[in-house]
Amino acid sequence: MIGVLVSGDGTNLQALLDAGLPVRAVASNRKDAYALVRAREAGISTATFSLDCHADRAERDLVMATWLEEHGVELVVLAGYMHLLTPPFLQRFPERVVNVHPSLLPDFPGAHAIDDALAAGVETTGVSVHYVDDGLDSGPLIAQEAVPVEPRDTLEVRIHAVEHRLLPEVVRELCVAAR
């Protein structure tokens, strides 16, 4: 079963749902994340784990990990989740946390990958799906797909289209391999 962590609109979550993947629980660090609405409309359990309700990030992550485990989650997918996870969370799901990122890692890690690629003047960027470690977009790569930068005015849309296809493909493969 899959747990998805979100912070925003949830278009990657929607791609997972549209692919018919077994999403069991959706957690967010933001109570106003539209992704939570998408999950509730799909009949999926949701919860918000904001930092201001916990002593620190590690405590928040442990509470969130426990909630995910209580919902039978075996694989955690970060789909636009904008917080780094702490080692206590990652230890609860060893080698079972994956993230989608809008660049060809290790190039352009962090929250502004598309803008960073444009500023660097590269001809090609892309999408990476990788395992999550306690660094910033530094975990082992699972899959990547290149996306030409030009035409610049459609780059973000084209990157999201690749994310919405590649992430469900990788997650499906990981679910099959875990059986």
Side-chain angles (χ1 to χ4, degrees), residues 3 8 16 20 23 29 43-44 97 112 119 121 143 151-152 164 169 177:
L16 295 169
V23 176
N29 60 306
I44 297 168
V97 181
H112 307 288
R152 289 172 169 247
H164 298 162
E169 287 174 6

Side-chain angles (χ1 to χ4, degrees), residues 17-65:
L17 297 174
D18 291 347
L21 292 163
V23 176
R24 176 66 58 93
V26 174
S28 181
N29 60 306
R30 294 182 43 213
K31 67 181 178 191
D32 62 343
Y34 186 72
L36 295 171
V37 173
R38 292 177 190 267
R40 286 191 288 270
E41 288 177 352
I44 297 168
S45 295
T46 64
T48 302
F49 299 90
S50 61
L51 281 174
D52 58 0
C53 295
H54 301 279
D56 57 26
R57 192 172 289 225
E59 178 188 283
R60 187 272 315 264
D61 285 1
L62 280 172
V63 171
M64 185 166 56

Side-chain angles (χ1 to χ4, degrees), residues 128-148:
S128 300
V129 179
H130 64 94
Y131 288 106
V132 175
D133 62 15
D134 59 355
L136 178 61
D137 297 320
S138 58
L141 293 170
I142 302 169
Q144 289 186 306
E145 186 171 321
V147 176

Side-chain angles (χ1 to χ4, degrees), residues 20-122:
L21 292 163
V23 176
R24 176 66 58 93
V26 174
S28 181
N29 60 306
R30 294 182 43 213
K31 67 181 178 191
D32 62 343
Y34 186 72
L36 295 171
V37 173
R38 292 177 190 267
R40 286 191 288 270
E41 288 177 352
I44 297 168
S45 295
T46 64
T48 302
F49 299 90
S50 61
L51 281 174
D52 58 0
C53 295
H54 301 279
D56 57 26
R57 192 172 289 225
E59 178 188 283
R60 187 272 315 264
D61 285 1
L62 280 172
V63 171
M64 185 166 56
T66 299
W67 182 81
L68 290 167
E69 287 173 336
E70 288 170 351
H71 284 80
V73 169
E74 298 167 357
L75 176 68
V76 178
V77 178
L78 279 58
Y81 187 68
M82 301 307 288
H83 277 191
L84 292 175
L85 293 168
T86 58
F89 182 97
L90 296 170
Q91 290 163 5
R92 297 278 284 275
F93 298 96
E95 298 179 19
R96 293 182 288 131
V97 181
V98 299
N99 183 43
V100 63
H101 183 76
S103 79
L104 294 176
L105 292 171
D107 294 339
F108 313 116
H112 307 288
I114 295 172
D115 291 338
D116 293 345
L118 290 170
V122 297

